[in-house]
Amino acid sequence: MTVHDLAAARGTDTSAAGGTDTSAAGGDGAAAGEPAGAAAVAPAGPPALAAAGEPARPGPDRGLPLTAAQSGMWFAQALDPDSPAQNTAELVEIHGPVDPELFVRALHRVAGEADALRVRLVETPDGPRQLPLALGPARAAPAPGPARDTGPTTTTEPARNPARDTVPSGAVSSSAVSSGDAPAATVPFPFHLADLRDRTDPDAAARARTGDDLSRPFDLAAGPLFAHALFRVGDERWLWYQRVHHAVMDGYGYSLLARRTAEVYTALAAGEEPGPSPFGRLGDLVAEDTAYRASETYEKDRAHWTEQFADRPEVPNLAGRTALPSRTFLRRTARLAPEATERVRELASSLRATWPDVLIAAQALYVSRATNSREVVLGLPMMGRMGSAALRIPGMVMNVLPLRLTVAPGDTFAQLTRQVVLGIRAARRHQRFRYEDIRRELGLLGEGRSLVGPLVNVMPFDYGLTFAGARSDAHNLSAGPVDDLTVNIYDRADGSGLRIDYDGNPALYEEPELAAHQRRFLRLLTAVAEGDPHAPTGSLALPTPVERDLVLTEFNDTAQPVPPTTLIGPIEAQAARTPDAPALVFRGRTLSYAGLNARANRLARELTARGVRPGTLAAVALPRSVDLIVTLLAVLKAGGAYLPLDPDYPAGRLAYMLEDAAPVCVVTDAATRAALPATGRPVLEPGDPELAARLAAHPATDPGRALTPQHPAYVIYTSGSTGRPKGVVVPHSAIDNRLRWMQAEYRLAPGDRVLQKTPSGFDVSVWEFFWAFRQGATLVVAEPGGHKDPAHLARLIREQAVTTVHFVPSMLQVFLAEPAAADCDGLRRVFCSGEALPRETAEEFHRVLPGVPLHNLYGPTEAAVDVTHHPCVPGERGPVPIGKPVWNTRLYVLDAALQPCPPGIPGELYLAGVQLADGYLGRPALTAGRFVADPFGPPGSRMYRTGDLARRRDDGAVEYLGRTDHQVKLRGQRIEPGEIEAALAACEGVAAACVLVREDQPGNQRLTGYVTPAAGTPGGTPDPDALRAELAGQLPDHMVPQDLLVLADFPLSPNGKLDRGALPAPDRSSAGRGRAPRTPQEETLARLFAEVLGVPYVGVDDGFFDLGGNSLLAARLVARVRDALGAELAVGALFRAPSPAALADRLHVAGDNREALGVLLPLRPVRPGSRTPLFVFHPAGGISWCYSGLLAHLGADQPVYGLQARNLAVPEDMPGTMEEMADDYLAQLRKVQPHGPYRLLGWSVGGVVAHTVAVRLQEAGERVDLLALLDAYPSDQWRDLPIPAEADALGALLRMAGFEPRGDTDREQVLNFLHEEGSALANLPEHTLNSVVDIVVNNARLMRTHRHRVFDGDLVFFTAAAPRAESWLDRRGWAPYVTGRLLNRDLDCLHPQLTQPERIAEVAGVLAPRLAAEPAAEPVGGPADIPEENAR
Amino acid sequence: MTNPGPFDAPDGPRAVEPTHRVLRNAAGQWSLWPAFAPVPAGWDTVHGPAPHASCEEHVERAARAAAEDAAR
C-alpha cells in the first residue's frame, strides 16, 4: 500500500509484511455471497505438487482445496456462471521488437512454473477443489483440436497470415497439481497472435478484440482459467494481453507473472537458458491459508476487527444506495498532471507519509463531503500475504479491509493523513482476516449491509519491465467485479503522472455521474497538493467553478422587485375595491368584504385601546369561526402580530405559550377561556355582550397605524428539541413576499374560493387565511375539527365550489381514499406541503382528480411558510422534488464545511432571502445558532439552517432526503423528540426517556416512547397509560406517543451511546378478545374501534393505540364517534381513555344499563340546532340498540331515539295490547318532541308498532311525515300462526344480536354463544335476559290480536328480499292500511341481517335525504330512488 | 444519520475546545460561526473562538444587555 509495502513485497521486511494488490480489487465476493465450502478446506500438509517437468508423486490426487479468497470468487461465479465479472485483465504495451515465437515460449514456460494457472475448479463432495490441468504445446496460432465454446478467443480469431501468425513451440503439459495415476486433463495452450498493422487504427482493433474477450466468462470446471494474446500494432510496438480468472490470480500475482515473463523472454532472446523459477508452490499458499484459519493469530485478528466495527457503522457511498455487482463495470480513466503528482509526493514526504496515504486521505475527504458524513469507511485491497514465502507465490489470496476515518472540517489535512497512516498500519497487522468474515461476524451479511464504501486500490509500484531491452507500460483492463466504486490508482513511472481509474457499478452510477466524481476528486486532490496541509480541510470545496456558479447564482436567480407592503395593507385595499363581493363563507352564511372589514376594524380599534400596536403581540385562542378570522384581521389592522393558540392544545401547552410570548391581550371564547391560565392580561371574548356594545361604538373605518414591513406579523410556535417549544417571529415583509409570489405563480381570481381548514397554529393556515382577501376571492371556512374528516371536506369542497385547497400529504392520501373525493373536480389548484409527498400519492391524485393541478411546496415556519415549489406532472418518475426557490429567495445545499454541494450531492439545506423570520422569540442563542451568517449573500445577511438533507437536481430542483437530526415530521406536524423526551423524563418514576418514530408496518408511522424506571420509586415501574395521560395534559395530541414501553435499561452501543436501532418494537400480540361490551355505547364504540383499526374484533378494554391506532386513525375514530353517538370528543380524550369501556365512561352518554334499557333510549340526543328527531321502535325482543348502526350514516345533527319495551331494566307490567303499547310510546316521544311532524321507523314488530303509533298521532291531530318499515308485516299475516315457544324466543334473542338462530333451546347455551361473540346482550342482567324472552312471547301475542287502522300518507318500505321460509309474508298486505304510495326498496339479505352494518347503511342512505329535508308543508314525498308500488 | 453539523456542539473532549465564534452584523444580529470557516463579509467576531457553550452564553448575555439598553 505504501512504499514500505513495496519493501515488504520484495521480501525485505517480513515483520510488517503487507502491500498492495497490483490490480485486482473489489473482489471480496461478499456481495455475491459467501464461500460455500470454506470450512471444507482439507487441513492436509503440503500436497503433492511438482513444477513442470518434475515427476509427479504417485498416489490418489484430489487436487487442492481453495484458499478462502478463492472460495469467495468461486462461489460468486457459481451464482452466475455466465458472468464475465470475475475476469481480470491487463495489457502490456511493449515499445520495441518482439519475437512472437520466443514470446509464446516464455509464456508457456511461466505458465508451467505458476501452479495456480494450471488448474480448473471443480465442485466435489468435499467442496470446490482445484484440480490439475495439463497445457498443450505453445502455439502462436489457433490451437488444433475441438473448439471449446468456453475457451478464449484463440479459436475464433481468423489467422490473417498463417506464415507470420503461427509460431510452433514446445509443449508444457504436465501439471504440478496432477499425479501420475490420475492424468490431468489436457487443454490447448490459450494463446492468440495477430498482426493488426494494416488496420486503420490498430490500437482500436486490439481494443475491440480484448473487449470482446473480456466479455467471455471462463468455465471454471473446464479451464484453462487464463488466456494470452499478442497483437502487433506497429513495426516496433506490440500489445501483450492477458486475462485470468480472479479465482486463481490476484493483482500481486499478476505482477509476479509479468516480471517473470519479461525475465524469461529476455533470457530466451539472448539465447540463454532462463534462471530457475522464483515461484513458491501453490500448495504452500493453500496450506498457509488453511493454517492461518486454525491459528491463534486468526482469533486475534477476529477480535481486532469485530471490536473495531462493533457499532456496525452505516457506511456512506457516493451513490447513496447499494446494489449487487453487475456483470460489467463502467471505467473512467484520467491522469493527475505530472506537476500535481510531484506535489502530492512532496506533500506526502512533508507529512512523513507516502503518496498513497495522501491519495487515500484525499479520497476520504471527498467521500465525507460528497455523502455529508463525518465518518467514512473506505475499502483497501490488501495482498493478504504475510511472510516471505507467500510473497513469491502467484495465486489468489488478496483481501479487502475496511479503513475507518473521521473527517471533520475543522481538522487539517495533515491530521487526516495521520489517521490514514495509523489506520493502515493497524489494518495491515490483521490483513489476513477476510472481509466477508468480518461482515459475517458483525451480522451484516444477513442484512445485506456493506462494510465499506468506495475501494481505493493504490498501486505504488511500477513494473518497470523490459522485454529484451524493449521498454513497456502496463495497463490494467479489469480489476474484477465492482460492488460500488473502485478507485484504481497506478503509478507506472512513465512520467505522465498518476493514472486514476474510476470503476463504477453501472447499477449505481451513470457515466456522467462517475465522470463528475472523478473530475471533482482530481480537482480536490490538486487543491490539497497545492494548499496548506496544516489549514482546516473546511477551506477545500468540492464543486468546480462552473458547478459553484450554477448552484449559488444561476439556480438562485429569483430577484423580483416587490412594493414595501404588509400582510394587511393589500387586504384593506381589496376591501375598498370590492366591498360587496363575498369575502367569507362559514356554515352557509356569507360575509361581504365590507362587512368583514367593518367588523375587523371595530375590533382593531378595541385592541388598540388594549395596547396592541406595531411590535406587540396579541394571542388569539379561538376555534375555526368567523370570529377567528375577524380577530386575526383586527390584530393585524391594529399593527400587532398575532399569536395563534389552538384551543385543542392542552392547557399546559397554552399556558406555556402565553407565559413565554407575553402577549398584551388574549382574544378567546368562553369554552377556551376555561383552559387558559389567568395571566392578568386583558381577555376579550367576542361573544361577550359588553364587548359587543363597545365594538358597536367604534368606527368601522380602517384604523391608522405606524406599521412597517419590518414589524412582526405573527408568531407561531414549533416543537423545540430541548423540551421547550419556540416562537418563530415572522415579519410582514417575509409573508408579504410569500403571498405576492404565490399570486404571481398561481393567479387567484375573484371567482376562486379558498378552503380554510388548517389549524391556526400551523403556518400553512397563514396563506389560507389571507391570500383570498388580497385578491377579491372568497374564503370558505371548514368546521372546527373538519380538517380531519375526509367526507366533510369532500362535501364542503363540492357544495361550496371550493377551487383552492391544501393538504398535508398523509391527509391527501386519506382524502383520496374517500369515494366523494372524485367529485371534487371543481378544484383548480391543490397544494401539498408539511411532509414529503410520496410519488404514489401524487399519482393517485392524478388518477382521482385528472386535470386538477397539484403543487408540492416546502418551507419551514422560519421562512414564511414556503420557500420552494414544484408542479407535479402525471407520469413523472422518482421522488417528487420540493422544487425551486420562490421570489427573492436563495437555497444553498451545503456540506459539513459550509461549502456548496454540486448538483446530485446531498447536503444540508440552508435558506436565505427576504422570507427569513426574525428569529425565535426571546431565544437569542437559539436564533444565533439557526439563523447564521450567509457567506454567499450580501454582506451582513443571514441564512437559516433547516436541518433538512437535500440535493439539487441537474435542473436546479431540490429533492428532500430526510433530516440531519432526530426531528421528525408526523402527518405534517414537526416534532422534536427531545421535547417529548424532556416531558417524559419529568414524569414521576421515570429515569430516562427516548422517543422516535417507528414504522414496523409499512405506512404505519407511530410515535413510540421508551422510558426506564427511576430507582426507588414508590409506585414501582411507571404505568404507560398513566404516562400517556400525563403527557396529554401538556403536549398537543400529535406529540403524545402512541406506544410507550418501559424498559429496565436502554440498549447501548459499544461506545456507550443509546443504540436507537436496538430499541424493541412494541408487542401487539397481547391484544385480543377481552371483556365483552356491557352497554350499547360500549358495543358501538368497540365496533367503531374495529372498523377504524381494520381489525375484526376489539374488546372493550383493548387500547386503541395498542392495537395499532395512530393519531390519524384517532381523528377518524373521533369523527365516527361523533357521527354515531353525537358525542363531541377531542383526539386527546383517546389518550386519556384509550379503550371502548373507558371512552364510554367518559362519554356518559346513556352510560348505564338503566338508561340503556329504559323505555326511551337516546341513541343520539337532541342538541341545539339539530334536526327533527327520528324515533325507532324495538323489534320483537324489545331492545332498540340494533339501530345504532344508523347513526354514523345519518349525520351528526340527526337525533335518534329508540323506544324500548317495558320490563327490561326493572320489573314492570307489560302492555296488554298493541294500542296500549303504542299509547305508552307516544307519551314518551312527546316528551322529546311535543308536536309533529314526526318521523318514525320500525323493524319487524317495531314496524307494526310504528304504524300503530303513526295512526294514533294522526288521530291526535299531529302530522307524521315519515313512516318507514323494515321488513315488517301487518298483523293479518301473523294472526293464524301459533304463539312462539321459549325456543323461538331464544331465536329472537339471537336475531337481536345479529345471528341466525342455530336451534339452541337452552338459555345457557344461547348466552354462552352471545358471550363468545362479544355481544353486548350477553352482559345484560339476569332479569333482563329473562324479560327479553317474555317480551318476545308477549309481542308475538300482541301482534296476532292487533287490528290495524289506516295511516294517511306514504309508506317507505324495506324488504329483506332474499328467499325465506315465511313465503307468505307480503308487503302488499299493508295496502288497506295506507292511503298513499308504498315505496319499496329491496335489500339483498334475510330479515335478521337488516340491521347489520352494510344493510343499515343502505337503509340510512335512503332515509338521509328525507330526514335532511326540513319539514315541508306537505308530507315528505317519495323521491324517485324508490320504486313506487300501487298501494291500493 | 446524525452527524454533528458545523453549528452543533461537539461531543466528547472537543466540547471544551474553541470550536466556534460569535459574530455580529450591523443590524445587531448574532450568528454562531464555526472557527474553521472564514468570517463572512459584513460580520465581525465579537466572541471566540471559544467553546460552543461559551458562545451560546455570550449571545444570551449580550442579548440581555442589549434589551436592557433598549429599555433604558
Side-chain angles (χ1 to χ4, degrees):
Chain A
M1 188 55 47
T2 68
V3 287
H4 312 301
D5 295 323
L6 181 53
R10 287 173 180 152
T12 55
D13 175 11
T14 54
S15 62
T20 299
D21 199 281
T22 56
S23 70
D28 52 275
E34 287 309 294
V41 172
L49 287 168
E54 288 180 24
R57 283 185 210 167
D61 188 348
R62 293 166 33 245
L64 293 169
L66 307 189
T67 65
Q70 284 184 292
S71 298
M73 293 293 165
W74 177 85
F75 189 71
Q77 186 71 68
L79 280 181
D80 187 4
D82 296 333
S83 169
Q86 316 275 326
N87 283 335
T88 60
E90 193 168 59
L91 195 67
V92 177
E93 186 178 3
I94 302 170
H95 306 274
V98 171
D99 180 337
E101 186 190 350
L102 292 184
F103 201 85
V104 74
R105 274 175 58 196
L107 291 175
H108 198 264
R109 185 181 185 105
V110 173
E113 292 171 354
D115 301 345
L117 291 178
R118 298 188 318 282
V119 296
R120 55 200 184 97
L121 308 185
V122 179
E123 187 163 19
T124 75
D126 300 329
R129 296 182 73 84
Q130 26 201 345
L131 299 183
L133 193 67
L135 300 173
R139 288 174 206 276
R148 307 181 62 91
D149 56 359
T150 55
T153 51
T154 45
T155 55
T156 59
E157 177 62 33
R160 205 178 41 77
N161 182 343
R164 199 164 60 196
D165 277 4
T166 306
V167 183
S169 175
V172 177
S173 58
S174 68
S175 166
V177 196
S178 163
S179 70
D181 55 354
T186 299
V187 294
F189 186 73
F191 179 75
H192 168 71
L193 178 68
D195 187 343
L196 304 174
R197 282 176 298 170
D198 61 348
R199 304 298 165 93
T200 329
D201 183 347
D203 282 277
R207 270 200 304 278
R209 290 177 191 217
T210 59
D212 178 54
D213 184 64
L214 253 177
S215 69
R216 291 159 189 265
F218 283 109
D219 180 347
L220 288 182
L225 303 181
F226 69 100
H228 290 288
L230 188 63
F231 302 108
R232 188 168 195 182
V233 290
D235 290 342
E236 297 275 279
R237 211 158 62 82
W238 298 72
L239 299 178
W240 166 35
Y241 163 79
Q242 62 174 330
R243 169 171 69 109
V244 188
H245 196 283
H246 208 345
V248 296
M249 196 57 57
D250 58 22
Y252 178 76
Y254 257 90
S255 72
L256 294 180
L257 293 176
R259 188 174 307 282
R260 176 65 179 161
T261 302
E263 199 175 288
V264 171
Y265 175 82
T266 303
L268 293 178
E272 295 166 3
E273 180 60 21
S277 166
F279 297 158
R281 316 305 308 268
L282 175 62
D284 293 342
L285 201 63
V286 172
E288 193 173 275
D289 190 66
T290 307
Y292 165 69
R293 296 175 75 82
S295 71
E296 233 173 77
T297 315
Y298 176 85
E299 279 307 315
K300 277 187 196 153
D301 291 350
R302 190 174 68 85
H304 169 81
W305 290 114
T306 50
E307 194 180 305
Q308 284 274 301
F309 287 87
D311 60 338
R312 313 195 324 149
E314 288 292 333
V315 297
N317 71 344
L318 297 178
R321 63 203 162 91
T322 58
L324 293 177
S326 304
R327 285 185 171 187
T328 58
F329 58 91
L330 297 172
R331 169 167 288 185
R332 301 275 317 181
T333 292
R335 285 185 181 275
L336 185 68
E339 317 80 66
T341 301
E342 205 38 56
R343 288 220 179 82
V344 167
R345 291 184 206 281
E346 287 164 14
L347 172 65
S349 67
S350 82
L351 297 175
R352 287 181 294 121
T354 63
W355 68 262
D357 296 333
V358 167
L359 267 287
I360 292 167
Q363 187 62 230
L365 177 60
Y366 183 86
V367 173
S368 162
R369 294 286 197 83
T371 60
N372 200 45
S373 307
R374 191 180 165 84
E375 203 162 79
V376 169
V377 186
L378 298 177
L380 300 187
M382 297 241 172
M383 282 198 311
R385 287 168 169 84
M386 301 281 264
S388 58
L391 288 169
R392 291 189 296 108
I393 309 173
M396 170 61 193
V397 287
M398 63 78 65
N399 194 10
V400 171
L401 288 172
L403 178 65
R404 188 171 184 175
L405 300 165
T406 302
V407 187
D411 289 351
T412 66
F413 191 78
Q415 289 170 313
L416 182 57
T417 307
R418 188 55 27 196
Q419 270 193 69
V420 170
V421 169
L422 297 177
I424 291 177
R425 191 176 295 167
R428 195 181 295 126
R429 280 199 289 273
H430 306 281
Q431 67 168 299
R432 284 188 296 174
F433 196 80
R434 295 213 57 77
Y435 173 85
E436 53 270 26
D437 290 337
I438 303 175
R439 284 183 74 219
R440 185 186 296 108
E441 290 284 339
L442 296 175
L444 299 175
L445 275 178
E447 298 169 26
R449 271 174 59 185
S450 188
L451 174 62
V452 299
L455 265 56
V456 185
N457 191 20
V458 184
M459 275 137 288
F461 26 65
D462 171 30
Y463 281 13
L465 301 179
T466 53
F467 292 80
R471 171 177 75 77
S472 72
D473 310 311
H475 307 280
N476 172 280
L477 296 182
S478 169
V482 178
D483 281 7
D484 167 42
L485 174 73
T486 302
V487 179
N488 294 302
I489 303 168
Y490 309 89
D491 177 18
R492 296 255 159 105
D494 59 357
S496 60
L498 295 175
R499 174 177 146 189
I500 300 180
D501 284 356
Y502 267 55
D503 289 1
N505 181 349
L508 294 175
Y509 300 93
E510 306 268 344
E511 187 97 36
E513 202 183 344
L514 200 62
H517 284 305
Q518 187 183 43
R519 196 167 53 238
R520 290 189 213 114
F521 173 69
L522 287 175
R523 226 188 132 263
L524 182 70
L525 186 59
T526 307
V528 163
E530 288 168 0
D532 174 5
H534 302 290
T537 55
S539 58
L540 298 162
L542 249 47
T544 62
V546 172
E547 287 173 334
R548 189 182 161 88
D549 182 62
L550 192 65
V551 296
L552 289 180
T553 310
E554 204 170 303
F555 289 161
N556 285 331
D557 183 16
T558 58
Q560 176 75 34
V562 291
T565 49
T566 62
L567 176 55
I568 188 69
I571 295 177
E572 291 177 340
Q574 183 65 41
R577 280 196 297 275
T578 55
D580 301 324
L584 185 156
V585 179
F586 183 59
R587 292 187 174 154
R589 292 188 50 205
T590 302
L591 206 55
S592 69
Y593 271 78
L596 178 64
N597 201 43
R599 277 182 67 176
N601 283 339
R602 290 198 167 96
L603 182 56
R605 288 168 195 277
E606 179 65 21
L607 289 170
T608 303
R610 306 295 183 106
V612 178
R613 58 181 55 87
T616 66
L617 266 177
V620 181
L622 291 169
R624 205 154 32 239
S625 58
V626 174
D627 280 335
L628 170 65
I629 289 158
V630 167
T631 306
L632 297 181
L633 291 171
V635 173
L636 296 172
K637 279 167 172 281
Y642 72 88
L643 167 70
L645 299 179
D646 189 333
D648 285 344
Y649 278 12
R653 180 78 160 198
L654 297 175
Y656 169 82
M657 291 195 279
L658 278 177
E659 171 73 28
D660 189 59
V664 296
C665 67
V666 183
V667 184
T668 187
D669 62 8
T672 311
R673 185 172 192 167
L676 296 176
T679 57
R681 298 172 208 290
V683 176
L684 287 76
E685 274 182 43
D688 174 15
E690 194 197 330
L691 176 65
R694 292 167 61 93
L695 291 180
H698 288 305
T701 49
D702 290 338
R705 58 188 170 249
L707 186 65
T708 73
Q710 282 65 50
H711 278 112
Y714 58 89
V715 172
I716 284 183
Y717 273 75
T718 68
S719 185
S721 59
T722 55
R724 292 164 60 201
K726 51 205 196 264
V728 182
V729 183
V730 179
H732 281 270
S733 51
I735 188 64
D736 189 50
N737 182 79
R738 167 65 180 69
L739 288 172
R740 285 186 181 278
W741 162 79
M742 194 176 206
Q743 177 58 21
E745 187 71 27
Y746 304 113
R747 305 276 167 193
L748 203 66
D752 274 307
R753 293 162 78 92
V754 178
L755 184 61
Q756 206 293 302
K757 72 180 186 66
T758 304
S760 58
F762 186 19
D763 74 345
V764 166
S765 66
V766 178
W767 70 252
E768 285 184 352
F769 282 130
F770 305 112
W771 185 23
F773 298 154
R774 292 163 62 112
Q775 309 304 146
T778 305
L779 189 65
V780 176
V781 180
E783 285 290 319
H787 58 285
K788 295 171 178 171
D789 181 348
H792 167 78
L793 291 178
R795 196 165 57 235
L796 195 62
I797 290 168
R798 216 175 43 248
E799 290 176 2
Q800 289 297 331
V802 168
T803 62
T804 306
V805 64
H806 172 272
F807 286 100
V808 166
S810 50
M811 187 61 204
L812 181 61
Q813 283 168 13
V814 174
F815 176 73
L816 293 173
E818 164 69 38
D823 300 334
C824 299
D825 49 4
L827 287 169
R828 287 180 211 157
R829 51 190 86 77
V830 174
F831 297 99
C832 262
S833 71
E835 63 193 359
L837 171 62
R839 176 63 73 188
E840 309 81 67
T841 305
E843 286 302 298
E844 178 67 11
F845 177 90
H846 296 311
R847 266 193 300 280
V848 173
L849 291 167
V852 178
L854 176 66
H855 303 282
N856 191 30
L857 308 182
Y858 158 89
T861 305
E862 286 86 344
V865 194
D866 297 301
V867 285
T868 72
H869 64 112
H870 176 81
C872 296
V873 178
E876 229 179 18
R877 307 290 291 271
V880 180
I882 57 175
K884 300 183 179 181
V886 303
W887 283 359
N888 303 309
T889 295
R890 300 185 306 278
L891 312 179
Y892 310 128
V893 177
L894 303 184
D895 63 23
L898 298 176
Q899 297 284 358
C901 293
I905 299 295
E908 184 170 356
L909 183 61
Y910 290 71
L911 315 173
V914 303
Q915 282 194 205
L916 254 52
D918 290 340
Y920 301 112
L921 190 64
R923 311 284 291 274
L926 192 62
T927 303
R930 299 303 303 203
F931 295 84
V932 299
D934 177 359
F936 313 107
S941 62
R942 299 187 305 168
M943 60 183 182
Y944 170 69
R945 175 162 72 94
T946 64
D948 287 331
L949 266 183
R951 78 176 153 227
R952 289 271 196 183
R953 297 198 315 198
D954 288 340
D955 67 355
V958 173
E959 286 179 350
Y960 170 84
L961 302 172
R963 289 290 300 174
T964 60
D965 57 18
H966 294 299
Q967 189 195 93
V968 292
K969 277 281 184 92
L970 206 56
R971 285 167 273 285
Q973 306 269 18
R974 194 164 132 181
I975 297 175
E976 292 284 1
E979 187 177 346
I980 307 167
E981 286 163 4
L984 272 173
C987 293
E988 196 184 334
V990 173
C994 171
V995 173
L996 43 79
V997 170
R998 299 193 70 97
E999 193 169 345
D1000 296 314
Q1001 296 159 280
N1004 186 8
Q1005 290 191 321
R1006 299 170 58 78
L1007 194 63
T1008 307
Y1010 298 87
V1011 296
T1012 54
T1017 307
T1021 61
D1023 170 32
D1025 287 342
L1027 287 177
R1028 258 204 306 259
E1030 193 170 341
L1031 286 191
Q1034 308 162 32
L1035 300 174
D1037 297 338
H1038 65 269
M1039 291 179 71
V1040 180
Q1042 293 131 7
D1043 296 313
L1044 255 177
L1045 280 72
V1046 181
L1047 305 178
D1049 291 298
F1050 284 145
L1052 298 179
S1053 65
N1055 59 14
K1057 287 186 182 169
L1058 170 64
D1059 185 356
R1060 288 169 173 259
L1063 288 166
D1067 178 16
R1068 314 216 174 283
S1069 60
S1070 60
R1073 307 204 137 202
R1075 196 157 53 89
R1078 295 158 303 184
T1079 66
Q1081 280 68 39
E1082 285 187 358
E1083 186 172 69
T1084 303
L1085 287 170
R1087 182 167 49 76
L1088 293 175
F1089 271 52
E1091 279 176 27
V1092 167
L1093 292 167
V1095 298
Y1097 174 87
V1098 172
V1100 290
D1101 296 316
D1102 291 342
F1104 180 73
F1105 299 101
D1106 301 331
L1107 293 174
N1110 56 39
S1111 68
L1112 202 65
L1113 294 176
R1116 223 178 285 174
L1117 177 64
V1118 164
R1120 302 288 287 274
V1121 170
R1122 186 189 60 224
D1123 289 350
L1125 298 175
E1128 280 302 343
L1129 194 65
V1131 174
L1134 262 179
F1135 290 107
R1136 295 172 201 113
S1139 68
L1143 206 55
D1145 285 349
R1146 200 176 175 82
L1147 291 176
H1148 293 304
V1149 183
D1152 62 63
N1153 277 339
R1154 182 167 294 222
E1155 192 173 9
L1157 296 170
V1159 178
L1160 188 67
L1161 170 72
L1163 286 165
R1164 178 157 52 209
V1166 170
R1167 283 178 302 156
S1170 58
R1171 297 193 293 232
T1172 309
L1174 174 69
F1175 294 94
V1176 294
F1177 295 84
H1178 63 79
I1183 300 180
S1184 286
W1185 303 357
C1186 54
Y1187 296 110
S1188 64
L1190 280 172
L1191 299 173
H1193 305 287
L1194 291 181
D1197 54 351
Q1198 176 61 59
V1200 180
Y1201 287 84
L1203 278 304
Q1204 305 194 116
R1206 293 278 172 192
N1207 194 29
L1208 280 175
V1210 290
E1212 283 175 291
D1213 288 340
M1214 290 190 286
T1217 65
M1218 187 65 76
E1219 297 288 351
E1220 193 184 315
M1221 178 159 54
D1223 216 31
D1224 182 14
Y1225 296 167
L1226 195 150
Q1228 294 291 332
L1229 62 87
R1230 275 196 192 264
K1231 285 187 199 165
V1232 178
Q1233 187 189 351
H1235 295 290
Y1238 290 98
R1239 294 163 174 192
L1240 313 176
L1241 169 78
W1243 174 36
S1244 194
V1245 170
V1248 172
V1249 183
H1251 181 266
T1252 309
V1253 170
V1255 168
R1256 291 183 76 89
L1257 281 167
Q1258 285 183 338
E1259 287 169 354
E1262 296 293 349
R1263 227 174 72 205
V1264 176
D1265 67 1
L1266 175 68
L1267 175 61
L1269 307 191
L1270 300 186
D1271 211 43
Y1273 299 90
S1275 301
D1276 317 1
Q1277 297 182 8
W1278 298 97
R1279 195 157 295 141
D1280 300 331
L1281 298 170
I1283 305 280
E1286 173 161 315
D1288 300 298
L1290 289 170
L1293 191 58
L1294 283 169
R1295 277 202 186 96
M1296 282 167 56
F1299 304 102
E1300 265 304 287
R1302 308 169 310 156
D1304 294 293
T1305 50
D1306 186 314
R1307 269 187 201 209
E1308 202 170 337
Q1309 273 180 347
V1310 169
L1311 295 185
N1312 280 343
F1313 172 76
L1314 290 176
H1315 195 84
E1316 281 166 22
E1317 294 297 327
S1319 168
L1321 293 177
N1323 284 324
L1324 292 177
E1326 186 69 25
H1327 161 77
T1328 305
L1329 285 169
N1330 284 321
S1331 171
V1332 165
V1333 176
D1334 297 340
I1335 289 168
V1336 168
V1337 175
N1338 188 46
N1339 281 336
R1341 193 172 54 78
L1342 301 187
M1343 284 276 286
R1344 283 158 178 73
T1345 55
H1346 183 55
R1347 299 281 170 185
H1348 289 285
R1349 296 193 296 283
V1350 178
F1351 172 72
D1352 185 15
D1354 292 340
L1355 183 62
V1356 176
F1357 199 89
F1358 297 87
T1359 305
R1364 64 172 124 215
E1366 302 91 343
S1367 56
W1368 65 86
L1369 293 174
D1370 185 344
R1371 62 180 172 268
R1372 282 171 298 185
W1374 283 111
Y1377 310 120
V1378 181
T1379 61
R1381 298 166 296 175
L1382 177 59
L1383 304 160
N1384 176 60
R1385 167 71 71 96
D1386 280 349
L1387 301 179
D1388 185 19
C1389 66
L1390 290 165
H1391 180 85
Q1393 296 161 345
L1394 268 171
T1395 51
Q1396 288 178 358
E1398 236 173 280
R1399 307 302 165 202
I1400 201 83
E1402 212 176 330
V1403 169
V1406 171
L1407 296 180
R1410 290 169 171 76
L1411 294 169
E1414 279 308 303
E1418 290 302 309
V1420 176
D1425 60 333
I1426 309 182
E1428 181 181 334
E1429 293 188 6
N1430 197 348
R1432 300 238 167 236
Chain B
M1 176 69 183
T2 52
N3 290 307
F7 296 94
D8 295 328
D11 27 76
R14 294 177 84 119
V16 294
E17 286 177 22
T19 50
H20 290 83
R21 303 168 188 270
V22 177
L23 312 182
R24 195 157 196 236
N25 65 7
Q29 294 167 320
W30 284 275
S31 168
L32 197 65
W33 195 252
F36 70 77
V39 174
W43 293 85
D44 295 312
T45 301
V46 294
H47 182 75
H52 191 273
S54 153
C55 291
E56 291 198 318
E57 279 161 26
H58 175 88
V59 174
E60 289 289 344
R61 215 171 35 242
R64 243 192 333 268
E68 280 162 17
D69 283 352
R72 239 173 254 144

